Amino acid sequence: MNETIPFLDYSEEHRLVLPNFIEAASRIVLSGRFALGPEVEAFETDYAASCGAKHAVAVNSGTSALVVALLAAGVGQGEEVIVPAMTFVATATAVLAVGATPVLVDVSPETFCLDVDRLPPALSDRTRAILPVHLYGQLADMSGITLFAQQHGLTVIEDAAQSHGASRSGRKAGSFGDAGCFSFYPGKNLGGAGEGGMVVTNDTNLAARAAKLRDWGQSKKGEYGLPGSNYRMDALQAAFLNLKLPLLDEWNAARRAVASQYNERLYPILSVTSRPRVDETNVFHIYPVFHRHRDRIRSALAARGVVTNVHYPKALHQQPALRGYRIAGDLAVSEMVAKEQLSLPIFPTMSSQQVDRVCHELAAVVDA
Ligand SMILES: *Cc1c(COP(=O)(O)O)cnc(C)c1O
């Protein structure tokens, strides 16, 4: 019996940082300082630097990062935010959480990120912001999006929850728009030992508002200048992430090496599939393939010990929670992705034998 290939395995990465984490955790537990504090401040400084952004505000999840960024930018009641229809549900529910309304547009068939050509029909006199997502680790067309935003006076908030470290011409994910939002959920490219998130920005005013909003809107001790909530990051999370951040670039490079091997090996097998480009604009949070018989292939792979996933099985307008919001144009690409997309195993410590094995099993089931 062949070994099972997991979808994701970060045990090797974590074994590496564990001794130092135990030491840091003891220090934090004995200090009694569990929320924010010096570990969180150090992580904010280093994370901002790693993104080439002036400020970073640490929060307790990627969803909180989106909510805090929208609130800090003043997005709210009566306003519309343009969101791609193919993304994790939090991108749109964060918009609802601040009292604004998502307007769904289709994604590009090349990048599976927000399609810039779909922006003009989405515009209304209530449009306030665009929320592009760097889906699967691949950067959206940020020059097209920011140009359109400038022409129409819109705020741009990037959902960079899947794209830590992705860059184009030296600029990093999260630093193109007015603010960038990251998640440190364990399965992300930079994952914590639990929940975490970050807002990065070059806008000093937005950063100051975000820092207050995550701490109940506190402007000075005992005084609440803004109506905020508790979105604070734990010191233990920051300590863990401080140890992992220096390894991010190396681990992203390892993901690219896995993606290259998939590209090479899968081309003859899935010749209809567009191969993702392997360059610095993609950090391969997900390695997606597409097939008309996705569900059959997925179960056949499972039977052969290869664990896969689907990102995502429904486009946002097909989710009961998001029915009835305005849709600009058709959402054909998003609907195709929901039907045909399959995420193959990918993680930094995946061996070339493991990649070979996935390709071998895929070849066996694809034409069965
Ligand atoms: C993971 C994710 C989020 C939410 O982050 P959490 O930390 O799980 O709250 C938001 N958007 C996208 C695209 C994500 O992948």
Side-chain angles (χ1 to χ4, degrees):
M1 183 60 191
N2 276 321
E3 59 149 348
T4 296
I5 313 279
F7 179 67
L8 171 63
D9 179 2
Y10 36 65
S11 55
E12 261 184 72
E13 295 171 40
H14 287 175
R15 241 191 299 281
L16 213 58
V17 299
L18 189 56
N20 287 333
F21 178 60
I22 290 170
E23 206 176 287
S26 316
R27 202 169 56 234
I28 291 163
V29 169
L30 295 174
S31 82
R33 183 94 205 251
F34 292 106
L36 301 179
E39 298 279 352
V40 173
E41 282 162 31
F43 182 51
E44 287 175 333
T45 304
D46 291 351
Y47 200 74
S50 82
C51 295
K54 278 204 203 121
H55 310 280
V57 176
V59 293
N60 55 8
S61 76
T63 306
S64 296
L66 290 166
V67 170
V68 167
L70 288 162
L71 289 173
V75 178
Q77 205 76 44
E79 298 182 316
E80 291 181 346
V81 179
I82 302 173
V83 173
M86 179 44 64
T87 175
F88 183 59
V89 70
T91 314
T93 54
V95 172
L96 292 173
V98 304
T101 308
V103 173
L104 304 178
V105 299
D106 209 0
V107 294
S108 140
E110 267 112 58
T111 61
F112 306 107
C113 297
L114 191 148
D115 187 342
V116 179
D117 296 338
R118 303 301 190 116
L119 288 172
L123 213 52
S124 83
D125 55 8
R126 301 200 302 155
T127 312
R128 174 58 210 287
I130 310 175
L131 216 174
V133 182
H134 306 308
L135 198 70
Y136 307 149
Q138 165 80 65
L139 284 182
D141 174 6
M142 291 312 295
S143 51
I145 291 166
T146 49
L147 179 64
F148 183 87
Q150 274 162 18
Q151 287 166 345
H152 299 278
L154 307 177
T155 299
V156 177
I157 294 174
E158 297 166 66
D159 183 339
Q162 301 188 358
S163 61
H164 317 69
S167 69
R168 181 174 283 125
S169 312
R171 277 184 81 173
K172 292 289 185 81
S175 74
F176 294 92
D178 296 280
C181 301
F182 292 87
S183 162
F184 306 117
Y185 181 74
K188 310 288 182 175
N189 287 37
L190 182 62
E195 310 276 353
M198 189 75 88
V199 177
V200 303
T201 182
N202 287 317
D203 180 335
T204 304
N205 185 39
L206 193 151
R209 279 174 58 86
K212 287 184 194 121
L213 285 163
R214 70 158 168 200
D215 193 25
W216 303 293
Q218 189 158 226
S219 27
K220 56 183 195 226
K221 187 108 183 108
E223 188 174 301
Y224 301 92
L226 293 169
S229 188
N230 181 357
Y231 301 112
R232 300 181 304 187
M233 179 178 273
D234 285 335
L236 287 166
Q237 288 311 327
F240 192 70
L241 290 161
N242 270 327
L243 294 170
K244 289 184 74 177
L245 180 58
L247 302 162
L248 177 64
D249 286 343
E250 194 185 309
W251 283 338
N252 280 339
R255 285 175 179 272
R256 275 187 207 110
V258 171
S260 291
Q261 198 186 340
Y262 271 139
N263 270 2
E264 214 170 283
R265 289 286 317 272
L266 291 179
Y267 189 52
I269 304 168
L270 291 169
S271 50
V272 288
T273 302
S274 60
R275 292 185 290 177
R277 262 180 41 197
V278 180
D279 61 23
E280 75 283 355
T281 66
N282 198 335
V283 290
F284 289 95
H285 175 59
I286 297 293
Y287 185 91
V289 296
F290 298 84
H291 200 282
R292 278 186 305 131
H293 303 303
R294 187 262 319 273
D295 293 334
R296 178 181 63 72
I297 287 171
R298 189 171 182 219
S299 357
L301 283 174
R304 288 165 174 262
V306 175
V307 184
T308 59
N309 232 311
V310 171
H311 296 91
Y312 293 90
K314 283 184 158 92
L316 291 186
H317 64 295
Q318 299 168 324
Q319 291 289 0
L322 290 160
R323 261 181 214 142
Y325 291 104
R326 194 157 74 78
I327 293 170
D330 69 82
L331 302 176
V333 180
S334 300
E335 288 172 5
M336 179 284 289
V337 172
K339 268 207 207 103
E340 301 191 3
Q341 191 271 356
L342 183 69
S343 305
L344 299 184
I346 189 164
F347 46 93
T349 57
M350 192 173 178
S351 70
S352 66
Q353 289 84 347
Q354 286 177 310
V355 180
D356 265 340
R357 170 77 195 292
V358 174
C359 297
H360 172 80
E361 304 296 2
L362 192 58
V365 303
V366 91
D367 296 315

